[in-house]
Amino acid sequence: MNATALSLVLGAAVLHAGWNFAAKRVRRGGAVFVWAYYTAASVLLLPALVIALVLSEQRPTWTWLVAAVVTAVLHIGYGIVLQRGYDVGDLSVVYPVARGTGPLLAVAFAVLLLGERPGVLGLIGAGLIVAGVLGIGSGSRQPVARGGVKAGLVYGVATGALIAAYTLWDAFSVTTLAVPPLIYFGAASVLQSLLLLPQVVSQPEQLRLLWKENRREILVVGLLSPAAYLMVLYAMRLAPVSLVAPAREVSIVLSGLAAWLVLGEAGARRRLIGSVVVLAGIVAIALA
C-alpha cells in the first residue's frame, strides 16, 4: 500500500473511532438519530455533489444510481443495527466485534461456499478473531451485565455482516463500475435521508427531543462519518480492498481506549486486549 493510501486509511480510522464514540453517547436514538446524522451529512455533501456532477468528465449513467441505491439500503441497515447495539451494549463490545466479523465471514464464505483454502496464516487470523471476540465477551459475573454483553455480541455480529456487504459492494462500485467516490457517496447520503424520512415524520416529538439533547452528536457524526468513508473510498482506488479494509481497523484499538479511558466501561481494559487480538487476526487474514 502506498503512502497516500495508507495516510487516507489511518486518517479514516481516527475519524471512524471518533464518530462511533459520539454515537455511543446517544441513548435510544434509533432510526431517528440515524436519519438525523445522515441528513446532516447529505446537507454537507450536497454542494460538493452538485459541483462534482457538473465538473465530472464522466457522463452519469443509471448504473451510478443503482449502485448508490444499493449502498444506501445497506448503510441504513448498518446504521440502525449499530445504534441498537449501542443502546443495549458497550462500545468496547459492539465496536470490535462488528469490525472483526466482516473479515471472519469472508473467510468462512470462501471456505464453505467457494471451496477456497485460505492457508495457515488465514486460518490463524480467523482463530485470532474468534479468540479476541470470546475474550471481549467473557469475564462478567453480573447477570445484567452478562445480558448486555450477549446482546452487544449479537448486534456486533449483525453489524459486521452488513459492514462486509457494503464494503464489497462499495469496492465494486468505485472500481469495476467506476463511479466517482464523491458522487457515489454524496448521492447515497441523500438517498439514505429520503428513504428514512417516513420513519421520522411519524415521530416528530422524538426528533425534537433528540435535537435538543444530542445536536452536538448529530453534527459530529454527520461530519466525521462521511469524511471517514470518503477517505476509504479514495484509498480503494489506490490500493486493493484486501489491504484497505484491514488497515482501517486500527480504529478498533482507538475505540477500546476511548471506552476504557473516557467512558469508564466495566472490563474495558480486558476488552481492549481482546480488540488488539481481533486486529491481529484481521491483519493475518489480509496477509494470507
Side-chain angles (χ1 to χ4, degrees):
M1 187 184 300
N2 62 46
T4 301
L6 182 60
S7 298
L8 287 170
V9 171
L10 294 180
V14 173
L15 297 183
H16 196 277
W19 80 251
N20 274 267
F21 174 75
K24 170 59 183 172
R25 297 172 68 91
V26 178
R27 301 302 300 172
R28 297 176 180 83
V32 176
F33 174 61
V34 175
W35 174 85
Y37 71 71
Y38 279 155
T39 301
S42 67
V43 169
L44 291 171
L45 288 169
L46 190 57
L49 172 61
V50 173
I51 293 172
L53 283 169
V54 171
L55 298 180
S56 176
E57 296 179 357
Q58 298 173 262
R59 185 174 181 179
T61 68
W62 284 106
T63 306
W64 293 12
L65 179 60
V66 172
V69 169
V70 172
T71 196
V73 171
L74 291 174
H75 274 84
I76 286 172
Y78 158 76
I80 292 175
V81 173
L82 176 65
Q83 203 58 39
R84 177 57 182 162
Y86 285 156
D87 283 344
V88 299
D90 288 342
L91 176 68
S92 56
V93 173
V94 178
Y95 192 85
V97 172
R99 305 310 303 182
T101 298
L104 184 62
L105 289 176
V107 171
F109 179 81
V111 171
L112 297 176
L113 300 181
L114 301 181
E116 295 184 6
R117 296 295 178 263
V120 175
L121 192 56
L123 292 176
I124 289 174
L128 286 171
I129 292 174
V130 172
V133 169
L134 290 176
I136 291 166
S138 65
S140 175
R141 298 181 179 179
Q142 298 179 3
V144 175
R146 289 296 307 146
V149 170
K150 182 178 179 180
L153 289 171
V154 170
Y155 280 102
V157 170
T159 303
L162 288 163
I163 289 172
Y166 77 62
T167 298
L168 292 174
W169 177 257
D170 291 348
F172 172 75
S173 297
V174 300
T175 55
T176 303
L177 298 181
V179 186
L182 181 56
I183 293 175
Y184 177 67
F185 194 70
S189 295
V190 174
L191 288 168
Q192 288 157 8
S193 177
L194 293 176
L195 290 172
L196 277 172
L197 186 58
Q199 180 81 11
V200 177
V201 170
S202 64
Q203 303 179 64
E205 184 60 23
Q206 184 178 349
L207 178 60
R208 187 188 68 80
L209 290 175
L210 183 68
W211 178 252
K212 179 180 178 180
E213 297 175 359
N214 299 110
R215 69 182 69 184
R216 182 173 61 181
E217 285 78 14
I218 291 171
L219 295 175
V220 167
V221 178
L223 175 62
L224 298 189
S225 177
Y229 204 62
L230 275 171
M231 293 169 76
V232 170
L233 291 177
Y234 279 106
M236 286 179 181
R237 285 198 153 190
L238 300 173
V241 66
S242 59
L243 296 180
V244 171
R248 66 183 296 221
E249 305 309 351
V250 171
S251 59
I252 289 175
V253 178
L254 298 177
S255 69
L257 286 170
W260 174 28
L261 299 176
V262 182
L263 297 179
E265 292 180 356
R269 186 184 305 182
R270 169 181 48 77
R271 294 169 186 170
L272 177 60
I273 295 173
S275 298
V276 174
V277 175
V278 170
L279 178 60
I282 294 171
V283 172
I285 288 175
L287 297 175

